[in-house]
Amino acid sequence: MSASPEARSALLTQALAWHGWPWDARLAWARDVRLDPSEVDTEVVPSGEARAWRTLVDPDGAGTFERRLAWAGLDHRRVEQLLHDPDVPNHTDHAWMPALERLRAACRSFTEHAIPPDSDLDPLVWLTTVERAWCEDPASADRMRATPFAHLLWPIVQSEWVALEALSADANVTARARDDLRLLLLERLATLFAAALHAACSRDRRPGVQLMLELGVMPDAGASPPVQYAAFCQSSLGDGLTALLTEFPVMGRLLATACQQWSAQCAELLARLRRDRPAMAVRFGCAADAPVARCVGGLSDPHHGGRTVVILTFAAQSPDPRVAGVRVVYKPKDLRLEQAAQAVVAEVCAELPGPSPLDVRIMVGDGYGYVAFVDHVPCTSAEELVAFYRQAGRLLAVLHVLGATDCHFENLIAHRHTLVLIDAETLFDGAVHRFDTDDDTRRETAGDGADDPLASSVLRTMLLPCWRGVDRQVLDVSALGVRMPPAVAHSPGWRYINTDDMVCAFASVQQPPLPSLPVPGG
């Protein structure tokens, strides 16, 4: 006799809770459990989970598995005993479990509203129904169509946005900016789950067809109506992601966590925008009542609960379309160090001849702040180029004194004659020096890199040409030595997106000019 739907649902919930429990948390629980030594079976047969873990960590039996367990305060017998123990804690009360159940209910509800009861809506018609609902501004549609599995992920994004609708109105955010915020979550979910979703959607694809699609030699690839893709998205939402979560149970925790982090970040940003608008008008010159026209996020690695840098564009007050709006960079971190670093650079340069560096306006909040957007503007004359490298030398001197590192090409922007540091996280990371006194002779010895004088030189900043091993290549990733990439590069991506022929393969990508160089691309 098959289990009832309620029993199957309870089993799935238990499985999601168990598999969603991060391994570090499992180890912490295992370390904290106090077992009576007399109850530990020294002849316990290693479980399949323990054997698989041992094989991955120490396939050659070199003892690295025991060392890994020792880092966690465990030994392999204790772990095996605990894995055998059926009396494991109940984790259905995870903080992310209610969020996941809410998202699954939203998926089912979306499908029920899109498909009338007792009807057999064609999957392609259903696909069109989703597309009509997925953006407020038509200008956002192309970016949404370019997101893998957007039709499956959009209902999840929309359900999360409901709670933020009132906040966006209070913050005076336009339809395009609201689409930007939703796209931030949509693209994040696609990054996390597109590979798993594609594996489930294309599991019946023949190997020969898969190879031809990857090589880009399949005739008329992506031209047929996406019937299979549409049916997959429709059925996955209709069963509340049950089939997907059964196959990929860790997806549940990742999905709920990503949505929770995005909701928290957006609510925080919108509330701060509403509160800070008068001060931002004074600091950056944007009208206090100017609507936020764009909110482009995902421009940095996620930190501190998934938060990322967001570029805000305030609508121009002039009806002339050639007049650009004011752009401000929102950074969800303490900017006092960045503000102080810019002040030091300005103070040093003010004492030296030549043009003054660009004034980078910063507004510091409580654990966050805003920075005026710095455009990449190449030099327009030989005189400007000379001034640029003179300013770069002054910046190098300041950064070396402040012990800066990680000043590679992604952390600096060339603006006419000025090289601007846009990330000051790695100041005061220089080598510590010791001073020893022997027989009245003062001797300085480096505390780090004593055998390599270059390790504590200006090269350590990564501003000047230096080389690093990256993906089995030796590359110069410094701010001033990096090579300009070709206009078009081939990188891993998706082809024939959201069709029955969708495949992960190398795709052509337009490469922007590198912002740290004072010359244009080419």
Side-chain angles (χ1 to χ4, degrees):
M1 180 181 296
S2 61
S4 66
E6 294 77 11
R8 289 197 300 271
S9 177
L11 288 173
L12 176 61
T13 300
Q14 289 284 356
L16 293 175
W18 171 253
H19 289 286
W21 197 21
W23 195 241
D24 285 346
R26 297 188 190 197
L27 291 179
W29 168 73
R31 184 177 59 249
D32 293 341
V33 170
R34 299 291 181 261
L35 292 181
D36 186 344
S38 63
E39 297 178 359
V40 176
D41 183 0
T42 57
E43 301 299 326
V44 66
V45 178
S47 67
E49 193 171 11
R51 283 199 303 271
W53 188 22
R54 178 193 290 272
T55 301
L56 286 171
V57 174
D58 189 13
D60 300 323
T64 53
F65 181 65
E66 282 70 21
R67 288 200 295 273
R68 173 65 183 86
L69 293 182
W71 294 343
L74 302 168
D75 59 69
H76 72 281
R77 290 188 179 278
R78 182 180 179 83
V79 168
E80 288 164 359
Q81 179 71 26
L82 290 168
L83 290 173
H84 273 78
D85 189 352
D87 189 23
V88 296
N90 183 350
H91 291 284
T92 55
D93 58 349
H94 281 315
W96 50 267
M97 282 296 292
L100 177 60
E101 290 305 311
R102 186 185 69 252
L103 292 172
R104 295 181 63 205
C107 292
R108 289 189 291 265
S109 175
F110 181 89
T111 307
E112 291 168 1
H113 285 86
I115 305 176
D118 303 322
S119 68
D120 186 18
L121 184 63
D122 181 87
L124 294 179
V125 177
W126 178 86
L127 218 60
T128 305
T129 302
V130 176
E131 290 185 7
R132 281 200 299 264
W134 70 6
C135 61
E136 295 184 54
D137 191 311
S140 308
D142 288 342
R143 188 172 158 195
M144 293 200 177
R145 290 192 187 96
T147 304
F149 294 96
H151 303 81
L152 171 54
L153 299 173
W154 172 251
I156 297 172
V157 174
Q158 184 59 21
S159 70
E160 289 295 285
W161 177 256
V162 171
L164 299 170
E165 193 74 51
L167 279 174
S168 69
D170 290 342
N172 196 10
V173 176
T174 65
R176 185 73 186 279
R178 290 194 292 269
D179 285 343
D180 286 335
L181 291 175
R182 288 191 287 257
L183 272 161
L184 179 60
L185 177 58
L186 185 73
E187 292 170 346
R188 175 63 175 158
L189 296 181
T191 300
L192 288 171
F193 306 126
L197 296 175
H198 181 258
C201 182
S202 62
R203 68 173 74 258
D204 297 329
R205 184 180 291 169
R206 290 175 295 171
V209 172
Q210 176 73 12
L211 179 60
M212 294 177 69
L213 290 172
E214 290 178 356
L215 295 175
V217 296
M218 186 77 171
D220 300 322
S224 301
V227 177
Q228 181 182 345
Y229 166 80
F232 171 76
C233 294
Q234 182 180 345
S235 63
S236 297
L237 290 170
D239 74 353
L241 309 178
T242 298
L244 285 171
L245 295 176
T246 301
E247 184 175 1
F248 307 105
V250 178
M251 181 186 292
R253 172 173 59 86
L254 296 179
L255 174 62
T257 302
C259 289
Q260 287 177 315
Q261 290 180 344
W262 172 83
S263 296
Q265 178 188 8
C266 288
E268 189 176 71
L269 169 61
L270 293 171
R272 287 170 173 173
L273 269 176
R274 180 178 180 274
R275 182 176 63 246
D276 298 336
R277 186 65 63 85
M280 294 177 72
V282 174
R283 187 64 178 142
F284 301 108
C286 52
D289 58 348
V292 181
R294 300 296 305 272
C295 288
V296 181
L299 302 174
S300 65
D301 294 332
H303 294 292
H304 188 46
R307 291 169 173 80
T308 68
V309 169
V310 178
I311 295 180
L312 307 166
T313 303
F314 294 91
Q317 297 302 292
S318 171
D320 188 344
R322 294 172 297 179
V323 178
V326 175
R327 284 186 290 179
V328 177
V329 182
Y330 164 76
K331 295 188 178 183
K333 65 177 184 179
D334 194 327
L335 292 187
R336 288 177 296 174
L337 182 63
E338 193 161 323
Q339 185 182 51
Q342 295 291 353
V344 170
V345 172
E347 182 180 356
V348 170
C349 292
E351 299 297 322
L352 300 171
S356 300
L358 180 70
D359 177 25
V360 181
R361 288 162 292 168
I362 298 176
M363 177 176 157
V364 176
D366 184 10
Y368 69 99
Y370 309 92
V371 183
F373 183 84
V374 179
D375 279 299
H376 176 222
V377 182
C379 294
T380 57
S381 65
E383 292 76 14
E384 256 191 2
L385 199 62
V386 170
F388 170 85
Y389 281 107
R390 183 176 291 113
Q391 291 281 7
R394 295 169 180 175
L395 177 63
L396 173 64
V398 173
L399 294 178
H400 179 53
V401 169
L402 297 180
T405 61
D406 210 34
C407 300
H408 51 77
F409 71 97
E410 293 179 321
N411 284 340
L412 290 112
I413 295 179
H415 183 93
R416 303 286 296 265
H417 65 273
T418 305
L419 184 61
V420 181
L421 178 69
I422 60 171
D423 191 346
E425 284 185 333
T426 57
L427 297 183
F428 307 111
D429 192 33
V432 177
H433 295 271
R434 297 193 306 267
F435 291 91
D436 298 328
T437 304
D438 288 324
D439 300 329
D440 298 327
T441 301
R442 195 173 188 185
R443 178 170 51 88
E444 179 185 0
T445 59
D448 182 25
D451 297 330
D452 182 8
L454 293 181
S456 58
S457 73
V458 292
L459 293 179
R460 193 169 186 269
T461 63
M462 292 184 68
L463 190 72
L464 296 178
C466 56
W467 290 264
R468 296 288 187 274
V470 180
D471 295 333
R472 299 185 180 181
Q473 301 180 67
V474 178
L475 301 176
D476 186 350
V477 297
S478 64
L480 298 179
V482 64
R483 292 184 59 185
M484 191 71 74
V488 178
H490 297 282
S491 61
W494 293 93
R495 291 186 194 153
Y496 322 120
I497 292 174
N498 299 340
T499 70
D500 292 349
D501 297 322
M502 183 161 54
V503 66
C504 184
F506 279 85
S508 297
V509 180
Q510 291 292 125
Q511 296 283 92
L514 295 178
S516 66
L517 298 183
V519 292

